[in-house]
Amino acid sequence: MAHHCHDGHHDHDHADSDEMGIQYNLFEKIDKENLECLNESIEGAGKTVFKPWDKRLDRVNFVESDADEELLFNIPFTGNVKLKGIRIASEDTDSHPAKLRLYKNRPNMTFDDISIEPDQVFELQKDSEGVLEYAPKVVTFSSVSHLSMHFPSNFGAESTKIYYIGLKGEWTPGHRHGVTICTYEARPNLDDHKLKHLDSVTKQID
């Protein structure tokens, strides 16, 4: 009987997990080619922490800071994002980041730029499973094409480790106006040209 109850509970968790997976899907809308993590000890490791919700407990891929405990992520999106939630999973040690500073729409930030006042700051608690959700200010983060996440400190270790960063929100296409407009203009013009050409062919046959 007890086992049966446990199964029921497990199903419930699974349903919640599916729902979280749907909510925490903004990693799909990150321009991974141009995502960068500064002060990562292994090049490219920072990109691996933006992964599906069901991979949040994966301990194979993680990022660790190099020279000191700071990490700075520059995260370009493939459109505009209304950011509604952030989850971070690290380990239950002093390597867990202790603070998160958010900047919106400031591409290519470096450690020289972090003296600028952030748009929001979160004091983080140790969380090895990504259960805590941090809520960005809706008004501030309603149209984000680029998000910078600065982790300035941890709980006292020499380096900071992060296993998972989850982002929840709504995505709408297009902030690269130049590219978008060119693409849309090119298509109708091509079609018009083809149609005119077909018309003239038809008339000649008549």
Coordinates of all heavy atoms in Angstrom, one line a residue, residues 20 24 49 51 53 55-59 62-63 85-100 122-135 151 153-155 160-167:
M20 N 7.3 22.1 -15.8 CA 8.5 23.0 -15.6 C 9.3 22.9 -16.9 O 9.9 23.9 -17.3 CB 9.3 22.4 -14.4 CG 8.7 22.6 -13.1 SD 8.3 24.4 -12.7 CE 9.9 25.0 -12.6
Y24 N 10.4 26.3 -18.5 CA 11.8 26.6 -18.5 C 12.5 26.2 -19.8 O 13.4 25.5 -19.9 CB 12.5 26.0 -17.3 CG 12.4 26.9 -16.1 CD1 11.3 26.9 -15.3 CD2 13.4 27.9 -15.9 CE1 11.1 27.8 -14.3 CE2 13.3 28.8 -14.8 CZ 12.1 28.7 -14.0 OH 12.0 29.7 -13.0
V49 N 25.5 25.0 -19.4 CA 24.6 25.1 -18.2 C 23.2 25.5 -18.6 O 22.3 25.4 -17.8 CB 25.2 25.9 -17.1 CG1 26.6 25.5 -16.7 CG2 25.2 27.4 -17.5
K51 N 20.5 24.3 -20.3 CA 20.0 23.0 -20.8 C 18.6 22.7 -20.4 O 18.1 23.5 -19.6 CB 21.0 21.9 -20.3 CG 21.3 21.9 -18.8 CD 22.5 21.0 -18.4 CE 22.9 21.3 -17.0 NZ 24.2 20.6 -16.7
W53 N 15.2 21.4 -18.6 CA 14.9 21.3 -17.2 C 15.2 19.9 -16.7 O 15.7 19.7 -15.6 CB 13.4 21.6 -17.0 CG 12.9 21.3 -15.7 CD1 12.0 20.2 -15.3 CD2 13.1 22.0 -14.4 NE1 11.7 20.3 -14.0 CE2 12.4 21.3 -13.4 CE3 13.9 23.1 -14.1 CZ2 12.4 21.7 -12.1 CZ3 13.9 23.5 -12.8 CH2 13.2 22.8 -11.8
K55 N 17.5 18.0 -17.4 CA 18.9 17.8 -17.3 C 19.6 18.6 -16.2 O 20.8 18.7 -16.1 CB 19.6 18.1 -18.6 CG 19.2 17.3 -19.8 CD 19.9 16.0 -19.9 CE 19.7 15.3 -21.2 NZ 18.3 14.9 -21.5
R56 N 18.7 19.3 -15.4 CA 19.3 20.2 -14.4 C 20.1 19.5 -13.3 O 21.0 20.2 -12.7 CB 18.1 21.0 -13.8 CG 17.3 20.2 -12.8 CD 16.0 20.9 -12.4 NE 15.2 20.1 -11.5 CZ 14.5 19.0 -11.8 NH1 14.5 18.6 -13.1 NH2 13.8 18.4 -10.9
L57 N 19.9 18.3 -13.1 CA 20.7 17.5 -12.1 C 21.9 16.9 -12.7 O 22.7 16.2 -12.0 CB 19.8 16.5 -11.4 CG 18.5 17.0 -10.8 CD1 17.7 15.9 -10.1 CD2 18.8 18.1 -9.7
D58 N 22.1 17.1 -14.0 CA 23.3 16.5 -14.7 C 24.5 17.1 -14.1 O 24.6 18.3 -14.0 CB 23.1 16.8 -16.2 CG 24.5 16.8 -16.9 OD1 25.3 15.9 -16.6 OD2 24.7 17.6 -17.7
R59 N 25.4 16.3 -13.7 CA 26.7 16.8 -13.1 C 27.9 16.7 -14.0 O 29.0 16.9 -13.6 CB 27.0 16.1 -11.7 CG 25.9 16.3 -10.6 CD 26.0 17.8 -10.2 NE 25.1 18.2 -9.1 CZ 24.0 18.9 -9.3 NH1 23.7 19.3 -10.5 NH2 23.2 19.3 -8.3
F62 N 29.2 21.4 -16.5 CA 29.1 22.5 -15.6 C 30.2 23.5 -15.9 O 31.1 23.3 -16.7 CB 29.2 22.1 -14.1 CG 30.5 21.5 -13.7 CD1 31.5 22.3 -13.2 CD2 30.8 20.1 -13.9 CE1 32.8 21.8 -12.8 CE2 32.0 19.6 -13.5 CZ 33.0 20.4 -13.0
V63 N 30.0 24.7 -15.3 CA 31.1 25.7 -15.5 C 31.7 26.1 -14.2 O 31.0 26.1 -13.2 CB 30.5 27.0 -16.2 CG1 29.4 27.7 -15.3 CG2 31.6 28.0 -16.6
G85 N 11.3 34.2 -14.8 CA 11.8 33.4 -13.7 C 13.2 32.9 -14.0 O 13.6 32.7 -15.2
I86 N 14.0 32.8 -13.0 CA 15.4 32.3 -13.1 C 15.6 31.2 -12.0 O 15.2 31.4 -10.9 CB 16.4 33.4 -12.9 CG1 16.2 34.5 -13.9 CG2 17.8 32.9 -12.9 CD1 17.0 35.8 -13.7
R87 N 16.2 30.1 -12.4 CA 16.6 29.1 -11.5 C 18.0 28.7 -11.7 O 18.5 28.7 -12.8 CB 15.7 27.8 -11.6 CG 14.3 28.0 -11.2 CD 13.4 26.8 -11.3 NE 12.0 27.1 -11.0 CZ 11.3 26.5 -10.1 NH1 11.9 25.5 -9.4 NH2 10.1 26.8 -9.8
I88 N 18.7 28.5 -10.6 CA 20.2 28.2 -10.7 C 20.4 27.0 -9.8 O 20.0 26.9 -8.6 CB 21.0 29.4 -10.2 CG1 20.8 30.6 -11.1 CG2 22.5 29.0 -10.0 CD1 20.9 31.9 -10.5
A89 N 21.1 26.0 -10.4 CA 21.5 24.8 -9.6 C 23.0 24.8 -9.5 O 23.7 24.8 -10.6 CB 21.0 23.5 -10.2
S90 N 23.6 24.7 -8.4 CA 25.0 24.5 -8.2 C 25.2 23.3 -7.3 O 24.4 22.3 -7.4 CB 25.6 25.8 -7.6 OG 27.0 25.6 -7.3
E91 N 26.1 23.4 -6.3 CA 26.3 22.3 -5.4 C 26.2 22.8 -4.0 O 26.4 24.0 -3.8 CB 27.6 21.5 -5.7 CG 28.8 22.4 -5.6 CD 30.1 21.7 -6.1 OE1 30.0 20.7 -6.9 OE2 31.2 22.0 -5.6
D92 N 25.9 22.0 -3.1 CA 25.8 22.4 -1.7 C 27.1 22.6 -1.0 O 27.4 21.9 0.0 CB 24.9 21.4 -0.9 CG 24.4 22.0 0.4 OD1 24.6 23.2 0.6 OD2 23.8 21.3 1.2
T93 N 27.9 23.5 -1.6 CA 29.2 23.8 -1.0 C 29.4 25.3 -1.1 O 28.6 26.0 -1.6 CB 30.4 23.1 -1.9 OG1 30.4 23.7 -3.1 CG2 30.1 21.6 -2.0
D94 N 30.6 25.7 -0.7 CA 30.9 27.2 -0.7 C 31.2 27.6 -2.2 O 31.3 28.8 -2.4 CB 32.1 27.5 0.2 CG 31.7 27.4 1.6 OD1 30.5 27.4 1.9 OD2 32.6 27.3 2.5
S95 N 31.2 26.7 -3.1 CA 31.4 27.1 -4.5 C 30.1 27.6 -5.1 O 30.1 28.1 -6.3 CB 31.9 25.9 -5.4 OG 33.2 25.6 -5.0
H96 N 29.0 27.5 -4.4 CA 27.7 28.0 -4.9 C 27.7 29.5 -5.0 O 28.1 30.2 -4.1 CB 26.6 27.5 -3.9 CG 25.2 27.7 -4.5 ND1 24.7 28.9 -4.8 CD2 24.3 26.7 -4.8 CE1 23.4 28.7 -5.3 NE2 23.2 27.4 -5.3
P97 N 27.3 30.1 -6.1 CA 27.2 31.5 -6.2 C 26.3 32.1 -5.1 O 25.3 31.5 -4.8 CB 26.7 31.8 -7.6 CG 26.0 30.5 -8.1 CD 26.7 29.4 -7.3
A98 N 26.7 33.3 -4.6 CA 26.0 33.9 -3.5 C 25.2 35.1 -4.0 O 24.3 35.5 -3.2 CB 27.0 34.3 -2.4
K99 N 25.5 35.6 -5.1 CA 24.8 36.8 -5.6 C 24.7 36.7 -7.1 O 25.6 36.2 -7.8 CB 25.5 38.0 -5.1 CG 24.8 39.3 -5.4 CD 25.6 40.5 -4.9 CE 25.4 40.7 -3.4 NZ 26.0 42.1 -3.0
L100 N 23.6 37.3 -7.6 CA 23.4 37.4 -9.1 C 23.0 38.9 -9.4 O 22.1 39.4 -8.8 CB 22.3 36.5 -9.6 CG 21.8 36.7 -11.0 CD1 22.9 36.6 -12.0 CD2 20.7 35.7 -11.3
F122 N 20.0 39.8 -7.1 CA 19.4 38.7 -6.2 C 20.5 38.2 -5.3 O 21.6 37.9 -5.7 CB 18.9 37.5 -7.1 CG 17.8 37.9 -7.9 CD1 17.9 38.0 -9.3 CD2 16.5 38.0 -7.4 CE1 16.8 38.3 -10.1 CE2 15.4 38.3 -8.2 CZ 15.6 38.4 -9.6
E123 N 20.1 38.1 -4.0 CA 20.9 37.3 -3.0 C 20.5 35.8 -3.2 O 19.3 35.5 -3.1 CB 20.7 37.8 -1.6 CG 20.9 39.2 -1.4 CD 22.4 39.6 -1.4 OE1 23.2 38.7 -1.2 OE2 22.7 40.7 -1.8
L124 N 21.5 35.0 -3.5 CA 21.2 33.6 -3.8 C 21.3 32.7 -2.6 O 22.2 33.0 -1.7 CB 22.1 33.1 -4.9 CG 22.1 33.9 -6.2 CD1 23.1 33.2 -7.2 CD2 20.7 33.9 -6.8
Q125 N 20.5 31.7 -2.5 CA 20.6 30.7 -1.5 C 21.2 29.4 -2.1 O 21.0 29.2 -3.3 CB 19.3 30.4 -0.8 CG 18.7 31.6 -0.1 CD 17.3 31.3 0.4 OE1 17.0 30.2 0.9 NE2 16.4 32.2 0.2
K126 N 21.9 28.6 -1.3 CA 22.4 27.3 -1.9 C 21.3 26.5 -2.3 O 20.3 26.3 -1.6 CB 23.2 26.6 -0.8 CG 24.5 27.3 -0.5 CD 25.4 26.5 0.5 CE 26.7 27.2 0.8 NZ 27.5 26.5 1.8
D127 N 21.4 26.0 -3.6 CA 20.3 25.2 -4.2 C 21.0 24.2 -5.2 O 21.5 24.6 -6.2 CB 19.4 26.2 -5.0 CG 18.2 25.6 -5.6 OD1 18.1 24.3 -5.6 OD2 17.5 26.3 -6.3
S128 N 21.0 23.0 -4.8 CA 21.6 22.0 -5.7 C 20.7 21.4 -6.7 O 21.1 20.6 -7.6 CB 22.3 20.9 -4.8 OG 21.3 20.3 -4.0
E129 N 19.4 21.7 -6.6 CA 18.4 21.0 -7.5 C 17.6 22.0 -8.3 O 16.7 21.6 -9.0 CB 17.4 20.1 -6.7 CG 18.2 19.0 -6.0 CD 17.2 18.0 -5.3 OE1 16.0 18.2 -5.4 OE2 17.7 17.1 -4.6
G130 N 17.9 23.3 -8.2 CA 17.1 24.3 -9.0 C 15.7 24.4 -8.5 O 14.8 24.7 -9.3
V131 N 15.4 24.3 -7.2 CA 14.1 24.4 -6.7 C 13.6 25.8 -6.4 O 12.4 26.1 -6.3 CB 13.9 23.5 -5.4 CG1 14.0 22.1 -5.7 CG2 14.8 23.9 -4.3
L132 N 14.6 26.7 -6.2 CA 14.3 28.1 -5.9 C 14.1 28.9 -7.2 O 14.9 28.8 -8.1 CB 15.4 28.7 -5.0 CG 15.6 28.1 -3.7 CD1 16.9 28.7 -3.0 CD2 14.4 28.2 -2.7
E133 N 13.1 29.7 -7.2 CA 12.8 30.5 -8.4 C 13.0 32.0 -8.0 O 12.5 32.5 -7.0 CB 11.4 30.3 -8.9 CG 11.2 31.1 -10.2 CD 9.9 30.7 -10.9 OE1 9.9 29.7 -11.6 OE2 8.9 31.4 -10.7
Y134 N 13.8 32.7 -8.8 CA 14.0 34.1 -8.6 C 13.2 34.9 -9.7 O 13.3 34.5 -10.8 CB 15.5 34.5 -8.7 CG 16.3 33.7 -7.6 CD1 16.9 32.5 -7.9 CD2 16.4 34.2 -6.3 CE1 17.6 31.8 -7.0 CE2 17.2 33.5 -5.4 CZ 17.8 32.3 -5.7 OH 18.5 31.6 -4.7
A135 N 12.5 35.9 -9.2 CA 11.5 36.6 -10.1 C 12.1 37.9 -10.6 O 12.2 38.8 -9.8 CB 10.2 36.7 -9.5
F151 N 27.8 36.9 -11.7 CA 27.9 36.2 -10.4 C 29.2 36.8 -9.8 O 30.3 36.3 -10.1 CB 27.9 34.7 -10.6 CG 26.7 34.2 -11.2 CD1 26.6 34.0 -12.5 CD2 25.6 33.8 -10.3 CE1 25.4 33.4 -13.1 CE2 24.4 33.2 -10.9 CZ 24.3 33.1 -12.2
S153 N 30.3 36.7 -6.6 CA 30.8 36.1 -5.4 C 30.2 34.7 -5.1 O 29.1 34.4 -5.6 CB 30.7 37.0 -4.1 OG 29.3 37.3 -4.0
N154 N 30.8 33.9 -4.2 CA 30.2 32.7 -3.8 C 30.2 32.7 -2.3 O 30.3 33.7 -1.6 CB 30.9 31.5 -4.4 CG 32.4 31.5 -4.1 OD1 32.8 31.9 -3.0 ND2 33.2 30.9 -5.0
F155 N 30.1 31.5 -1.7 CA 30.0 31.4 -0.2 C 31.4 31.3 0.5 O 31.5 30.9 1.6 CB 29.1 30.3 0.2 CG 27.6 30.7 0.0 CD1 27.0 30.4 -1.2 CD2 26.9 31.3 0.9 CE1 25.7 30.7 -1.5 CE2 25.5 31.7 0.7 CZ 24.9 31.4 -0.5
T160 N 33.8 29.4 -8.3 CA 32.4 29.3 -8.3 C 32.0 28.2 -9.3 O 32.6 28.1 -10.4 CB 31.7 30.6 -8.8 OG1 32.0 31.6 -7.8 CG2 30.2 30.5 -8.9
K161 N 31.1 27.4 -9.0 CA 30.6 26.3 -9.9 C 29.1 26.5 -10.1 O 28.3 26.8 -9.2 CB 30.8 24.9 -9.3 CG 32.2 24.4 -9.4 CD 32.3 23.0 -8.9 CE 33.7 22.5 -8.8 NZ 33.7 21.1 -8.2
I162 N 28.6 26.4 -11.4 CA 27.2 26.4 -11.7 C 26.9 25.2 -12.7 O 27.7 25.0 -13.6 CB 26.8 27.7 -12.4 CG1 27.1 28.9 -11.5 CG2 25.4 27.7 -12.9 CD1 26.8 30.2 -12.1
Y163 N 25.9 24.4 -12.3 CA 25.5 23.3 -13.1 C 24.4 23.5 -14.1 O 24.2 22.9 -15.1 CB 25.2 22.1 -12.2 CG 26.3 21.5 -11.5 CD1 26.7 22.0 -10.2 CD2 27.1 20.5 -12.0 CE1 27.8 21.5 -9.5 CE2 28.2 20.0 -11.3 CZ 28.5 20.5 -10.1 OH 29.6 20.0 -9.4
Y164 N 23.5 24.5 -13.7 CA 22.3 24.7 -14.4 C 21.8 26.1 -14.2 O 21.8 26.6 -13.1 CB 21.2 23.7 -14.0 CG 19.8 24.0 -14.5 CD1 19.4 23.6 -15.8 CD2 18.9 24.7 -13.7 CE1 18.2 23.9 -16.3 CE2 17.6 25.0 -14.2 CZ 17.2 24.6 -15.5 OH 16.0 24.8 -16.0
I165 N 21.5 26.8 -15.3 CA 20.8 28.1 -15.3 C 19.5 27.9 -16.1 O 19.6 27.6 -17.3 CB 21.6 29.2 -15.8 CG1 22.8 29.4 -14.9 CG2 20.8 30.5 -15.9 CD1 23.8 30.5 -15.4
G166 N 18.3 28.1 -15.5 CA 17.1 27.9 -16.2 C 16.4 29.3 -16.3 O 16.4 30.1 -15.3
L167 N 15.9 29.6 -17.5 CA 15.2 30.9 -17.7 C 13.8 30.6 -18.2 O 13.6 29.8 -19.1 CB 16.0 31.7 -18.8 CG 17.5 32.0 -18.5 CD1 18.1 32.6 -19.7 CD2 17.6 32.9 -17.3

